[in-house]
Amino acid sequence: MKKNNIILIGFMGVGKGSIAREIVHNSSYIALDTDDLVESMENKRVKKIFQEDGEEYFRNLEKDIALWLEKSVQNTLISTGGGFYKVKNLKKIGTIVLLDSPFEKILKRIQEHPNAKAKLRKRPLLSDLKAAKQLYKQRRPEYLALADIVVDVTDKSVQECTKEILKKVKKYV
Ligand code: S3P
């Protein structure tokens, strides 16, 4: 049987963190974030892990976390790093909600954020925007194929997205 966690997936900067916080504020879910879990496992920032240990090492940490989530976590809203969807057991962890938006809109959202510089700096895979756009193109169909629920977040407030997600997940959890 499927577990009653909700998993937010989607590209870097699409708003997974902000929407997760709003969902938790408006529901009885508790929250976990896979990047936060990686950072506390290693006592190191994601950016530093990429620099010092490499992306493959980071992806292996994500796989370990995915196994732990499947085995031990319930009733939780799980926000994920943009590449976390690649773990093999994602479907077994819970209902998958894709936060979807065109690349240009995501970029605009990051660039217009008061903390834009920090947001870009902490994401190694956004350092080259041409490569990031390619990554988006490659990933988007994979995100869509995995998602139980797709929420178009373009030009919607965090509150609107939250309402829509909580309504749609009712059928699943
Ligand atoms: C990544 C996304 C990041 C973080 C890491 C790799 C990716 O998380 O996990 O930098 O592969 O898309 P956010 O999606 O929260 O930026």
Side-chain angles (χ1 to χ4, degrees), residues 112-137:
E112 286 176 357
H113 195 278
N115 263 337
K117 271 197 182 148
K119 290 210 166 277
L120 284 168
R121 219 181 304 123
K122 78 169 200 185
R123 295 180 163 101
L125 298 179
L126 281 183
S127 59
D128 174 348
L129 291 183
K130 231 177 162 182
K133 185 168 183 176
Q134 268 313 110
L135 189 63
Y136 174 91
K137 274 194 181 161

Side-chain angles (χ1 to χ4, degrees), residues 18-29 31 159 162 166:
S18 325
I19 292 173
R21 283 187 289 279
E22 186 67 15
I23 292 176
V24 167
H25 191 69
N26 287 283
S27 69
S28 58
Y29 288 98
Q159 288 77 11
T162 298
L166 288 174

Side-chain angles (χ1 to χ4, degrees), residues 10-13 16 35 46 50 55 58-59 62 80-83 122-125 135 139 143:
F11 203 67
M12 291 170 270
K16 290 165 292 188
D35 279 348
V46 167
F50 267 73
E55 181 169 348
F58 174 80
R59 299 299 173 200
E62 288 189 315
T80 62
K122 78 169 200 185
R123 295 180 163 101
L125 298 179
L135 189 63
R139 280 184 180 173
Y143 287 145

Side-chain angles (χ1 to χ4, degrees), residues 62-63 66-67 70 84-93 146:
E62 288 189 315
K63 285 179 198 160
L67 293 174
E70 179 189 341
F84 188 83
Y85 75 103
K86 293 244 183 203
V87 300
K88 285 204 178 80
N89 61 331
L90 192 74
K91 287 238 173 233
K92 292 188 186 154
I93 300 173
L146 270 170

Side-chain angles (χ1 to χ4, degrees), residues 42-141:
E42 293 292 294
N43 195 22
K44 231 188 228 187
R45 293 278 177 212
V46 167
K47 186 177 178 184
K48 207 152 190 223
I49 299 174
F50 267 73
Q51 281 168 347
E52 292 181 0
D53 310 295
E55 181 169 348
E56 196 184 336
Y57 183 83
F58 174 80
R59 299 299 173 200
N60 284 329
L61 295 171
E62 288 189 315
K63 285 179 198 160
D64 291 345
I65 286 166
L67 293 174
W68 173 75
L69 291 169
E70 179 189 341
K71 198 167 149 230
S72 311
V73 174
Q74 277 286 25
N75 302 317
T76 298
L77 187 274
I78 301 163
S79 51
T80 62
F84 188 83
Y85 75 103
K86 293 244 183 203
V87 300
K88 285 204 178 80
N89 61 331
L90 192 74
K91 287 238 173 233
K92 292 188 186 154
I93 300 173
T95 300
I96 302 170
V97 178
L98 170 64
L99 305 184
D100 190 35
S101 194
F103 181 75
E104 285 67 25
K105 290 281 185 174
I106 296 176
L107 201 58
K108 195 163 169 260
R109 185 180 172 272
I110 299 174
Q111 284 166 342
E112 286 176 357
H113 195 278
N115 263 337
K117 271 197 182 148
K119 290 210 166 277
L120 284 168
R121 219 181 304 123
K122 78 169 200 185
R123 295 180 163 101
L125 298 179
L126 281 183
S127 59
D128 174 348
L129 291 183
K130 231 177 162 182
K133 185 168 183 176
Q134 268 313 110
L135 189 63
Y136 174 91
K137 274 194 181 161
Q138 175 218 311
R139 280 184 180 173
R140 186 164 179 270

